[in-house]
Amino acid sequence: MRFLYPLLALQLLAAAAHAQTAPVIPDIAAPEAAPAQGAALAPAEKSKADKPNFIPVPVLFYQQETGFGYGGAILPVWRFGQDSTVRKSNARLIAWYTQKKQSTIQLTHTIFTPNEKFYFAGELSQYDLSFFYYGLGNTTKSSDESTIGYKLFVFDEKFLRRLTAHNLYGGLRYRLTNTSKVRVIEDRSENRPSLFRSLPLQEQQGGVVSGLGPSLLYEGRDNVLATYRGIYIDAHALFTGKELGSDYTFQRYQLDLRYFRPLLGSNKTILALQYLGQFHAGSVPFRELGGLGANLGGSQYNNAGLMRGLYEARFRGRQMMTAQAEIRQHLFWRLDGAAFLGAGQVGDKVGEYSFGDTKLAGGAGLRFQFNRRDRLNIRLDYAGGTDTAPSIYFAVGEAF
């Protein structure tokens, strides 16, 4: 799904004109250097910049399957305790309603407890949406487009404990989704039913997915909002089953690798790379399959935008691998430019992949640094991809 936030951008630009502080909205906060051995244990005192920050902003967008949408967002950022070396916690609460009676309430958050002993990140959301549906697999056709709708509840949470002083966390991840009121809004044509109607009856009715599994995180980026250098590794497994209250039994294994480095000897030119693989075994409902084209946000892909230029979950499959590269270039004043390219495939088995079936997406865009201290950008991208017409993508923060 594509989102446009013109009023949100205007509000943020206005805030930037008055102050250099702004909310942090990442899935993972930027790492702090560990204190030197033998250093004093007295916590650093908070400054005025450490005061809790709440910025309400309006939201307005338009997309073909929803019509006009409007709502608001609150973007709080705060720090627990008096130690200013502890990374800030943050959240994003957004709610909107559309011309075609669709709605979303989404809360995402990242929390560091005092002394960063524990780390929590996740999502609590309720969606009532419609999507274009093209069927399953890596060879779906644009002519098979139909429109489906459903309600979706998501609770996804990481419970991690710091394992070392060098940004390594380990713990558990729990994910619960409930898909209900699933329906076909519009078939492919009067004489051609939606391919959604060919799915197993249980999937057409929705159901509950409940899963638990181990999670390991290495957060080595200097700043997650617009990283100059560092490595990010997120690996987790999810096991669902009746004993957890799930209507489906399957296993998920996901690996998210990101690498950043400056080029040409300065921070004005940054190379950003990402690989994400999601692999399933068992009975996976369509809603939980890997999807190329992820712009909706949320916790499933650690808030990354995958293959900008493809429609939301344009290609769905049990096994998904995707990679993207981006060059970020400072232009002048607070303006940056970016060019990006993504490639990926889905399939029932990884062995079915072929070079000729690779899906591509890419484009270019501008960034406005409305908070230079925290490198928080407004992002405007123009991108297209395989079987998807080019479109504008407007968001806060980098895609990954």
Side-chain angles (χ1 to χ4, degrees):
M1 180 170 289
R2 304 164 188 165
F3 290 87
L4 304 180
Y5 292 100
L7 290 187
L8 173 59
L10 291 176
Q11 180 71 20
L12 293 173
L13 285 170
H18 293 283
Q20 287 301 308
T21 60
V24 182
I25 323 175
D27 189 43
I28 316 256
E32 299 284 350
Q37 188 172 2
L41 297 179
E45 293 184 358
K46 284 186 176 182
S47 66
K48 292 182 179 180
D50 290 324
K51 292 182 178 180
N53 190 6
F54 297 84
I55 299 182
V57 292
V59 172
L60 178 65
F61 63 90
Y62 175 84
Q63 52 198 26
Q64 182 179 346
E65 67 270 36
T66 65
F68 284 101
Y70 54 90
I74 301 176
L75 313 170
V77 56
W78 71 97
R79 176 179 283 125
F80 284 108
Q82 298 299 315
D83 186 354
S84 63
T85 64
V86 172
R87 285 176 273 188
K88 290 184 177 181
S89 299
N90 56 81
R92 178 181 65 178
L93 175 62
I94 182 170
W96 49 259
Y97 187 78
T98 75
Q99 186 180 11
K100 297 185 179 180
K101 299 181 180 181
Q102 297 157 40
S103 63
T104 283
I105 300 177
Q106 183 189 68
L107 171 65
T108 58
H109 63 275
T110 299
I111 297 175
F112 289 92
T113 66
N115 300 318
E116 297 190 5
K117 185 176 181 179
F118 295 98
Y119 165 87
F120 306 96
E123 172 187 4
L124 178 65
S125 301
Q126 176 70 50
Y127 303 90
D128 187 355
L129 300 174
S130 66
F131 289 90
F132 293 138
Y133 181 79
Y134 300 89
L136 304 181
N138 201 60
T139 59
T140 56
K141 302 176 182 178
S142 57
S143 59
D144 286 331
E145 177 183 290
S146 62
T147 306
I148 65 172
Y150 52 78
K151 287 189 175 183
L152 175 67
F153 172 81
V154 176
F155 173 74
D156 191 330
E157 190 71 31
K158 296 178 184 176
F159 308 87
L160 305 182
R161 180 188 177 103
R162 190 173 64 184
L163 303 178
T164 71
H166 300 290
N167 306 310
L168 183 64
Y169 292 83
L172 294 174
R173 181 171 186 169
Y174 175 72
R175 180 173 176 83
L176 170 70
T177 67
N178 183 14
T179 307
S180 61
K181 296 188 177 180
V182 187
R183 61 206 182 276
V184 174
I185 298 174
E186 184 177 0
D187 286 304
R188 292 180 290 175
S189 68
E190 292 183 2
N191 301 319
R192 301 174 68 210
S194 169
L195 293 177
F196 183 79
R197 300 182 190 275
S198 65
L199 291 176
L201 182 60
Q202 183 183 19
E203 291 189 43
Q204 295 185 46
Q205 296 173 344
V208 174
V209 170
S210 178
L212 180 70
S215 180
L216 189 66
L217 169 70
Y218 179 81
E219 175 53 270
R221 296 176 290 178
D222 64 333
N223 183 304
V224 301
L225 296 174
T227 310
Y228 289 165
R229 56 178 55 81
I231 297 173
Y232 170 91
I233 303 173
D234 177 87
H236 74 267
L238 195 71
F239 303 92
T240 74
K242 294 181 179 179
E243 60 277 6
L244 294 173
S246 179
D247 294 327
Y248 301 88
T249 300
F250 64 89
Q251 302 82 48
R252 169 182 294 156
Y253 306 92
Q254 181 169 305
L255 179 63
D256 185 353
L257 306 175
R258 308 181 196 183
Y259 174 76
F260 306 84
R261 63 166 296 175
L263 300 177
L264 307 178
S266 76
N267 291 332
K268 292 185 177 180
T269 306
I270 304 298
L271 171 66
L273 304 173
Q274 182 190 24
Y275 163 86
L276 191 142
Q278 190 180 83
F279 311 99
H280 295 92
S283 177
V284 191
F286 83 99
R287 253 292 315 165
E288 294 292 319
L289 293 171
L292 297 181
N295 310 296
L296 184 59
S299 56
Q300 184 168 358
Y301 302 124
N302 303 313
N303 285 346
L306 302 180
M307 295 193 69
R308 282 160 289 166
L310 287 186
Y311 183 76
E312 185 79 21
R314 175 63 181 82
F315 301 94
R316 303 173 188 254
R318 292 168 59 86
Q319 322 304 338
M320 178 188 75
M321 289 197 290
T322 180
Q324 59 181 327
E326 181 167 294
I327 296 291
R328 301 167 183 172
Q329 176 65 51
H330 177 67
L331 300 177
F332 61 90
W333 188 50
R334 298 190 183 197
L335 291 180
D336 295 343
F340 49 90
L341 177 67
Q345 283 197 50
V346 298
D348 191 57
K349 299 178 181 178
V350 175
E352 296 176 351
Y353 287 3
S354 66
F355 183 80
D357 289 330
T358 300
K359 308 306 178 186
L360 299 175
L366 293 174
R367 311 288 184 265
F368 177 79
Q369 300 177 5
F370 76 91
N371 183 346
R372 286 184 288 189
R373 186 194 65 184
D374 294 323
R375 304 183 209 163
L376 186 54
N377 299 332
I378 293 173
R379 173 165 54 92
L380 179 65
D381 290 330
Y382 182 75
T386 303
D387 286 336
T388 304
S391 183
I392 295 175
Y393 297 80
F394 210 118
V396 176
E398 298 294 347
F400 66 100

